[in-house]
Amino acid sequence: MPTVLLTGAAGYIGSHTWLALQSAGFEVVGLDDFSNSSARVLDRLKELGGRTPVFERASVTDAAALDGVFSRHRIDAVVHFAAFKAVGESTAQPLSYYANNVGGLVSTCEAMRRHGVKTMVFSSSATVYGEPKYLPYDEVHPLAAMNVYGRTKLFGEQILRDLEASDPAWKVAWLRYFNPVGAHESGRIGEDPRGTPNNLMPYVTQVAVGRREFLQVFGGDYDTPDGTGVRDYLHVMDLAEGHVAALRHLLEQRASATVNLGTGSGTSVLQLVAAFERASGRPIPYRIVERRPGDLPAFWADATLARELLGWQARRDLAAMCADSWRWQSRNPTGYD
Ligand code: UDP
């Protein structure tokens, strides 16, 4: 079976994708610098996978370290997760976002080229669509970034398009994620943000477990059914399986693809809170506060292409997303530490 290098392998999506790839029979080499993740993930992956994970501690910005990794392992393809992802922080620290997200992508591709590896799955985001011209977003919707983080993803997409155009041996899957939530159903791995969570679900689970007093709902007067923001939440294990499907497509069809990974339906903040209360049996006190600057009122995916091209669709519903997020948080109230 092919061997896949996962950059950012210890992170939230990386760790779940690691398990999904192993279940599908792939060999995995994980790489992470733990700049935004915990080494304890590796113990959990060992327990869940039944073997010691093959792991390299390095930054994707370190060319010499990447050369070492490609020399020690016979890599067939790269799934590139390693990146910073906080919108607010990206505005305050643009250079570190460009260095890690854009510079790290370039150095990873350069190392790949030096070692003759030309197949990559790239973590992109629905944020590259910018203000909706129409909904749901399909893959031909115009692109526009709304902040530094979004620009790093948009530039990353473009760099890979230029690379693919320069050498047709390159095959790339541009995966545009919607809003991943949930956790592996074992409750042993999950999302563990450092500091105050920026995203809705980890904030909700921290309220449920007593680490935060109440949820702030950012805006109650949007033009949506209940006035709160609408997003396309998808289970992180579905997202992980989407990477397996994309990788198989690249390796078997030898064709690049740009694909949304979402469920195709929208859920409001208050609907998510209600679903979480049902799943957990815990009340989630909340207060409606000002809109968060830069937030869009609503967006969700047209998920047709993923089904037609990759044979992938999200299988787990909102109740499963909430139940699995809660299992992870309730059994690991302070995350991995
Ligand atoms: N949100 C909220 N309170 C929070 C975090 C998020 O009301 O503490 C809302 C946010 O305004 C948006 C939705 O939840 O409508 C999803 O936000 P998230 O940051 O998780 O994802 P993104 O905005 O990047 O799609």
Side-chain angles (χ1 to χ4, degrees):
M1 280 302 278
T3 299
V4 186
L5 176 66
L6 294 192
T7 71
Y12 174 44
I13 305 173
S15 57
H16 289 80
T17 302
W18 194 327
L19 288 179
L21 284 165
Q22 278 187 348
S23 299
F26 288 93
E27 297 294 330
V28 177
V29 176
L31 179 144
D32 207 297
D33 63 359
F34 300 127
S35 59
N36 193 26
S37 59
S38 166
R40 298 207 172 114
V41 174
L42 300 175
D43 301 326
R44 305 290 178 92
L45 290 172
K46 177 178 182 182
E47 171 197 312
L48 293 169
R51 56 183 151 143
T52 303
V54 180
F55 181 75
E56 298 273 1
R57 181 171 187 166
S59 165
V60 289
T61 58
D62 182 342
L66 289 173
D67 272 332
V69 171
F70 280 94
S71 304
R72 283 187 290 279
H73 308 277
R74 191 192 49 76
I75 303 296
D76 297 292
V78 175
V79 181
H80 186 65
F81 294 109
F84 297 144
K85 61 171 185 178
V87 171
E89 187 182 66
S90 77
T91 305
Q93 302 167 29
L95 291 178
S96 77
Y97 272 67
Y98 286 120
N100 195 41
N101 295 14
V102 179
L105 172 65
V106 172
S107 52
T108 300
C109 290
E110 284 177 330
M112 290 171 70
R113 191 184 49 189
R114 285 194 294 275
H115 295 269
V117 181
K118 297 184 174 180
T119 303
M120 175 179 270
V121 177
F122 178 64
S123 297
S124 189
S125 163
T127 194
V128 299
Y129 294 123
E131 294 267 359
K133 306 277 186 236
Y134 55 84
L135 285 170
Y137 291 129
D138 57 21
E139 289 83 353
V140 298
H141 185 283
L143 304 180
M146 298 176 52
N147 51 57
V148 173
Y149 166 72
R151 268 186 289 285
T152 69
K153 290 296 168 184
L154 203 50
F155 296 165
E157 285 207 6
Q158 191 59 53
I159 287 165
L160 291 169
R161 283 185 213 285
D162 292 340
L163 184 57
E164 187 210 30
S166 74
D167 175 358
W170 278 87
K171 301 297 174 205
V172 179
W174 291 268
L175 301 184
R176 294 178 178 153
Y177 309 158
F178 283 70
N179 290 60
V181 298
H184 189 262
E185 65 170 14
S186 64
R188 297 296 287 161
I189 61 170
E191 185 169 15
D192 182 21
R194 293 198 175 154
T196 307
N198 293 302
N199 295 114
L200 178 61
M201 183 64 96
Y203 206 105
V204 167
T205 63
Q206 291 193 9
V207 171
V209 86
R211 279 168 70 181
R212 317 247 165 219
E213 205 183 333
F214 61 91
L215 172 71
Q216 297 187 64
V217 175
F218 298 139
D221 57 354
Y222 284 114
D223 182 17
T224 59
D226 64 18
T228 66
V230 167
R231 296 290 184 271
D232 184 339
Y233 298 96
L234 84 159
H235 196 295
V236 67
M237 285 309 297
D238 280 326
L239 180 60
E241 289 164 7
H243 290 73
V244 175
L247 196 56
R248 284 200 174 121
H249 177 84
L250 294 179
L251 295 171
E252 289 164 15
Q253 308 299 319
R254 300 304 304 150
S256 295
T258 303
V259 184
N260 287 339
L261 295 180
T263 65
S265 67
T267 300
S268 74
V269 174
L270 293 183
Q271 285 173 327
L272 185 137
V273 167
F276 187 87
E277 288 180 326
R278 281 194 296 276
S280 65
R282 296 276 173 115
I284 304 298
Y286 68 83
R287 290 180 201 162
I288 295 185
V289 300
E290 286 297 288
R291 295 179 178 189
R292 183 169 62 178
D295 267 358
L296 292 168
F299 63 83
W300 61 96
D302 181 332
T304 313
L305 186 64
R307 194 175 67 238
E308 290 178 354
L309 193 67
L310 307 180
W312 172 90
Q313 61 184 21
R315 298 189 286 122
R316 297 160 178 92
D317 64 11
L318 186 63
M321 298 177 212
C322 292
D324 291 340
S325 285
W326 175 235
R327 187 177 302 107
W328 153 252
Q329 188 73 86
S330 57
R331 294 186 188 177
N332 304 271
T334 55
Y336 288 109
D337 296 323

